[in-house]
Amino acid sequence: MKAQCLPFSQIPHTTRLFTDFLEYSPSVRPFYPHSPHFIEWMKTEASTLHYDPSRRKQVSAILERQNKSWGASPQTFANLNRLRQGAAAIVTGQQVGLFGGPMFAIYKALTAVKLAEEATAAGIDAVPIFWLATYDHDLAEVNHISLPGPDGLLRTFTTSSHSVAGAPVSEVRLGEEIVPVVEEAASLLGDSEATQFLRESYRPGESMGTAFARLFTRLFGAWGVIVLDASDAELHRIAAPIYRTAIERAEELDSALLTRGQAIEKAGYEQQVKVTPASVLLFTLRGGARTAIHRQAGGPVISGSNQAAEFAIGSEPGAEKLSVAELLDRIAAAPENFSPNVLLRPVVQDYLLPTLAYTGGAAEAAYFAQAGAVYETILGRVTPVVPRFSATLVEPKVQRWLRQYGIGVADTFHGQDALRRTLASHTLPEGVQAAFNAVQQSVEKSLSQLRDALEKLDPTLVGASQTAGSKMSYQLDRLRQLATAAEVRRSEVISRHADGLSQALYPGGALQERGVAGIYFIARHGSELLRSVHDIMRTDCHDHQILEL
């Protein structure tokens, strides 16, 4: 495997907040107490990490039960024992996408493994934990995945499995409808260990969460990755003090987040999450659907009570109005009916786990810029975030196309139309290319001679000659573009190669790691691919990697 670096500053749609975080510019430091370089602060951070022993015992027992039910490896049970005995956690997580989700979920797990290994080697015992965001309720985000077909074009696979609209995805059970979807994917992927893992994991009776957990348990068993299902009722009961705090200190937390948001915008960045004066950091179940809770300013007095209705569940006109006391009673009675929003989730995670660091992508790093205000208010410390590994895998067929046209992966990042023109410009008939090059050289030589002559005649005419030269170059470039467009129209091969390159390297206008299922690459190249990616990772390099397979 050969690797080359591509800075994120050269990748479209990368936010300035993320590139500044990678550089650890002074403007981002108020929002990130630690640099993105794990090795710089891991020992200092470990010395300040405090975790309640009784909570460690409870959570370790839950994780052992969960991982045993998914068929965890001996290495995972060894890591669970280390966690029980006092190890820190390197945590990552993801929504439970169909068939394990896009490739970046694989990179997250491997990054957590690598960071845990580096910490342990430095004398800080640490284990990797993968947090399944099973209480998320956007089924449309996780019920499908894309796999390349034999022609290289992406095919979308979707499960029709569902529950109550808006229910947490942990409630979505797979029925018989999943069998033909798995078999169709298996026929495309071919016989392999990864395909067998897919069949063992995505089967009737599993939920979206447990199927994902089974798959990752198998893929990362050799590294002992501990998988955590966040929807577990016992974990909710342990997290109940954080849920109560989110209600009791709702106004204080909201004020802290609004202040943090203003500071982020004043520094020239955008907020990842919209926060309003009515925001509450919790959801609750209502009719089986995950429903937002809002604060009410000066709410009405509840009939027969002296308590004001300070909170509302759902939207008007059918919102349910509750006082602080009533909401706290509900949390005490059934904490499993509550779940954190995206800004409280990392705080709940790091209350449940002895987290030394969290590793995630650009969006998660942006969440942490805001969530730091919640961390400070509730936990008194901010868990550091470390950028995950990011890469584009270039298979041999795609490598041949890139060499044929003399282009790089970054040339595919500007859309299929632009890519077609780029390919065509490299395949214009030799006579046309030679003619353009000859004219270009002749024009430049003649203009240079003209400028020298004019400068002797009247120096004020040099500017006019330069303007005339620019116009000539523009017209020549315009003519070259028209010739390229003509080549695109007459060449079916160019269009086919442009489509293939786009879907292989920049599908849907996004990085490959976001658009192609990780299971595809593992099925194609075997579990050795995971080992090769793990071995090539450098946690001090935060560029995007181009990996030639």
Side-chain angles (χ1 to χ4, degrees), residues 72 149 183 191 214 464 471 518:
E183 289 307 315
D191 291 333
R214 286 186 184 279
K471 290 180 179 179

Side-chain angles (χ1 to χ4, degrees), residues 361-431:
E364 288 159 302
Y367 290 139
F368 267 72
Q370 289 181 264
V374 184
Y375 270 108
E376 292 164 359
T377 303
I378 297 179
L379 297 185
R381 69 176 284 267
V382 181
T383 294
V385 60
V386 178
R388 65 164 172 82
F389 181 77
S390 175
T392 294
L393 302 179
V394 189
E395 296 187 290
K397 179 180 179 180
V398 175
Q399 293 174 37
R400 290 194 297 272
W401 283 347
L402 294 176
R403 286 195 296 269
Q404 175 183 339
Y405 292 103
I407 64 172
V409 171
D411 290 307
T412 69
F413 292 171
H414 306 291
Q416 285 181 254
D417 289 341
L419 181 58
R420 287 189 187 95
R421 292 192 295 271
T422 298
L423 300 190
S425 70
H426 287 266
T427 58
L428 284 172
E430 187 174 341

Side-chain angles (χ1 to χ4, degrees), residues 492-506:
E492 180 186 345
V493 173
I494 287 175
S495 292
R496 189 168 69 248
H497 286 179
D499 291 344
L501 283 167
S502 289
Q503 297 219 17
L505 302 175
Y506 202 61

Side-chain angles (χ1 to χ4, degrees), residues 293-474:
I293 302 172
H294 305 284
R295 283 198 308 128
Q296 292 200 128
V301 174
I302 301 173
S303 178
S305 169
N306 292 323
Q307 298 173 324
E310 297 179 43
F311 295 90
I313 298 173
S315 303
E316 299 293 352
E320 182 182 9
K321 310 295 176 63
L322 297 171
S323 67
V324 172
E326 289 173 320
L327 202 45
L328 292 177
D329 286 345
R330 289 195 182 185
I331 292 173
E336 66 272 16
N337 289 337
F338 292 81
S339 58
N341 79 347
V342 70
L343 294 179
L344 184 63
R345 182 205 57 75
V347 174
V348 170
Q349 164 196 288
D350 298 337
Y351 178 78
L352 293 172
L353 299 170
T355 308
L356 177 60
Y358 182 88
T359 182
E364 288 159 302
Y367 290 139
F368 267 72
Q370 289 181 264
V374 184
Y375 270 108
E376 292 164 359
T377 303
I378 297 179
L379 297 185
R381 69 176 284 267
V382 181
T383 294
V385 60
V386 178
R388 65 164 172 82
F389 181 77
S390 175
T392 294
L393 302 179
V394 189
E395 296 187 290
K397 179 180 179 180
V398 175
Q399 293 174 37
R400 290 194 297 272
W401 283 347
L402 294 176
R403 286 195 296 269
Q404 175 183 339
Y405 292 103
I407 64 172
V409 171
D411 290 307
T412 69
F413 292 171
H414 306 291
Q416 285 181 254
D417 289 341
L419 181 58
R420 287 189 187 95
R421 292 192 295 271
T422 298
L423 300 190
S425 70
H426 287 266
T427 58
L428 284 172
E430 187 174 341
V432 176
Q433 289 275 28
F436 272 116
N437 292 338
V439 170
Q440 183 76 43
Q441 293 171 6
S442 176
V443 168
E444 290 175 355
K445 181 179 180 180
S446 298
L447 284 173
S448 177
Q449 292 173 344
L450 181 59
R451 277 194 297 271
D452 291 343
L454 289 173
E455 188 168 18
K456 294 176 182 177
L457 175 65
D458 183 351
T460 63
L461 296 176
V462 172
S465 71
Q466 291 173 335
T467 300
S470 297
K471 290 180 179 179
M472 291 179 192
S473 295
Y474 170 81

Side-chain angles (χ1 to χ4, degrees), residues 78-363:
N79 280 348
L80 280 164
N81 189 54
R82 290 168 58 200
L83 180 68
R84 187 181 294 106
Q85 297 301 317
I90 302 295
V91 183
T92 191
Q94 183 56 36
Q95 293 171 296
V96 288
L98 184 65
F99 298 165
M103 189 65 189
F104 73 79
I106 301 292
Y107 296 150
K108 283 184 171 184
L110 289 175
T111 307
V113 167
K114 196 78 170 185
L115 291 170
E117 289 173 346
E118 289 191 358
T120 301
I124 306 162
D125 197 19
V127 296
I129 297 181
F130 197 101
W131 175 286
L132 305 182
T134 42
Y135 43 58
D136 282 2
H137 58 280
D138 194 341
L139 180 61
E141 284 192 1
V142 300
N143 70 351
H144 64 280
I145 196 67
S146 294
L147 301 170
D151 56 1
L153 302 183
L154 293 180
R155 294 175 56 187
T156 299
F157 292 78
T158 306
T159 176
S160 59
S161 308
H162 65 278
S163 181
V164 174
V169 294
S170 59
E171 297 300 314
V172 177
R173 291 283 162 185
L174 304 177
E176 293 297 328
E177 71 282 347
I178 194 63
V179 175
V181 182
V182 170
E183 289 307 315
E184 187 179 0
S187 67
L188 187 153
L189 294 172
D191 291 333
S192 68
E193 183 182 50
T195 304
Q196 184 58 34
F197 288 166
L198 206 62
R199 288 191 172 108
E200 293 172 359
S201 304
Y202 286 84
R203 58 191 184 184
E206 301 289 347
S207 71
M208 291 290 289
T210 60
F212 190 108
R214 286 186 184 279
L215 180 61
F216 268 47
T217 295
R218 285 154 176 74
L219 291 177
F220 299 103
W223 287 286
V225 172
I226 299 167
V227 180
L228 181 154
D229 182 351
S231 67
D232 192 291
E234 288 190 52
L235 289 177
H236 283 288
R237 283 193 281 276
I238 297 172
I242 303 297
Y243 299 167
R244 288 197 298 271
T245 299
I247 297 302
E248 292 169 339
R249 302 173 68 181
E251 185 174 359
E252 178 186 356
L253 288 165
D254 198 36
S255 176
L257 281 168
L258 290 169
T259 300
R260 174 61 61 90
Q262 291 170 356
I264 289 171
E265 292 182 351
K266 186 176 180 180
Y269 305 116
E270 293 184 4
Q271 298 185 65
Q272 184 78 0
V273 182
K274 178 66 176 175
V275 178
T276 73
S279 293
V280 175
L281 303 180
L282 282 182
F283 286 86
T284 189
L285 294 180
R286 189 181 185 202
R290 191 167 181 248
T291 308
I293 302 172
H294 305 284
R295 283 198 308 128
Q296 292 200 128
V301 174
I302 301 173
S303 178
S305 169
N306 292 323
Q307 298 173 324
E310 297 179 43
F311 295 90
I313 298 173
S315 303
E316 299 293 352
E320 182 182 9
K321 310 295 176 63
L322 297 171
S323 67
V324 172
E326 289 173 320
L327 202 45
L328 292 177
D329 286 345
R330 289 195 182 185
I331 292 173
E336 66 272 16
N337 289 337
F338 292 81
S339 58
N341 79 347
V342 70
L343 294 179
L344 184 63
R345 182 205 57 75
V347 174
V348 170
Q349 164 196 288
D350 298 337
Y351 178 78
L352 293 172
L353 299 170
T355 308
L356 177 60
Y358 182 88
T359 182

